Amino acid sequence: MALTREQIAQRVARELEDGFYVNLGIGIPTLVANFVPEGIEVMLQSENGLLGMGPYPTKDQVDADMINAGKETVTAATGAAIFSSAESFAMIRGGHVDLTVLGAFEVDQQGNIASWMIPKKLVKGMGGAMDLVAGAKNIICVMTHANKHGESKLLSHCSLPLTGVNCINKIVTDLAVLEVKDGAFHLLERAPGISVDEIVSKTQGKLVVPECVPEMVFS
C-alpha cells in the first residue's frame, strides 16, 4: 500500500544526521519533527524565526504564540532560540542550513522543482521556498508520486513555474525513495507491497531501476 503522510515523514527522518540544522516546510515535512531518531541531536528551523523546534504539542502544551511557518502550534526543544524572520532568512541565505525538507507540485529529472504556484489558481506567495532551495546544502522533496488524476508528478520537464533549478537531491513519495542524479530519477527503495512496475508506470521522467529494489522497513 502507498505510504501515509506519517510514514513518509518517518522515512525522511532516517536521513537526519547528528548535528544537522534542518528546515521543515509546511505540510508533511513538519511531521518529521515527531520522528527524529533516538541517539542523534538535530536543530529544526522554522523560517519565521525559531531554531530548535520540538514535536507537535500535546493538548496541555499548546501555546498559541509558539508557531511554525505554517501557523501551526509547536514546541521548543532544549536550547532553542527565537529571533526575527530577517535573521532566520540570513541563516538560510548564508548556507547555514544542512538539510531542507519541502513539498512540491512537480519535480523533474534534472532536479528542478515547481512548488509555489499553479497558474489561474489562488497564489498565496512563494514564502521562503526559493531562498531555501538556493541556500540549503541538501534538499529532500516529499510528495505524492501522482496527482489525484493518476498523472505522474515526476517528470522529464516541469510544466509549472519553477521554484529552483538543479537543486533536488532526493525524493520521498508515497510509493518510493528516489535519488536525482545524472539527468534521471534513480529508484532506491519502494513502499511495502508496491511493485516496481507500478512505480515505473507512474514515473513520466527517465527512471533508472536497479536489479534489486528493497522495500522500506518501518519498525
Side-chain angles (χ1 to χ4, degrees), residues 20-76:
F20 264 16
Y21 291 93
V22 182
N23 181 282
L24 301 178
I26 296 170
I28 294 175
T30 59
L31 299 175
V32 175
N34 291 333
F35 298 104
V36 177
E38 292 185 10
I40 72 168
E41 184 174 335
V42 297
M43 292 297 278
L44 303 177
Q45 190 229 24
S46 182
E47 65 203 52
N48 58 323
L50 172 61
L51 179 64
M53 270 194 305
Y56 278 116
T58 62
K59 194 171 183 179
D60 295 335
Q61 294 175 317
V62 170
D63 179 349
D65 293 323
M66 182 69 72
I67 60 173
N68 62 17
K71 298 180 175 59
E72 300 170 306
T73 52
V74 294
T75 60

Side-chain angles (χ1 to χ4, degrees), residues 67-89:
I67 60 173
N68 62 17
K71 298 180 175 59
E72 300 170 306
T73 52
V74 294
T75 60
T78 301
I82 298 172
F83 37 83
S84 73
S85 179
E87 288 177 297
S88 183
F89 275 91

Side-chain angles (χ1 to χ4, degrees), residues 80-162:
I82 298 172
F83 37 83
S84 73
S85 179
E87 288 177 297
S88 183
F89 275 91
M91 178 182 178
I92 292 166
R93 292 167 182 166
H96 304 295
V97 174
D98 297 297
L99 173 65
T100 285
V101 184
L102 76 170
F105 299 130
E106 298 174 345
V107 176
D108 71 27
Q109 64 195 43
Q110 299 298 330
N112 301 326
I113 177 174
S115 68
W116 73 279
M117 75 168 292
I118 298 177
K120 299 182 181 180
K121 292 195 175 182
L122 177 65
V123 179
K124 296 182 179 180
M126 65 191 71
M130 288 187 177
D131 293 277
L132 287 162
V133 297
K137 300 170 185 176
N138 187 19
I139 303 168
I140 297 176
C141 184
V142 299
M143 58 196 298
T144 55
H145 212 95
N147 64 24
K148 62 183 179 181
H149 304 294
E151 300 165 335
S152 178
K153 295 165 67 173
L154 278 68
L155 309 174
S156 55
H157 299 282
C158 288
S159 63
L160 297 173
L162 296 182

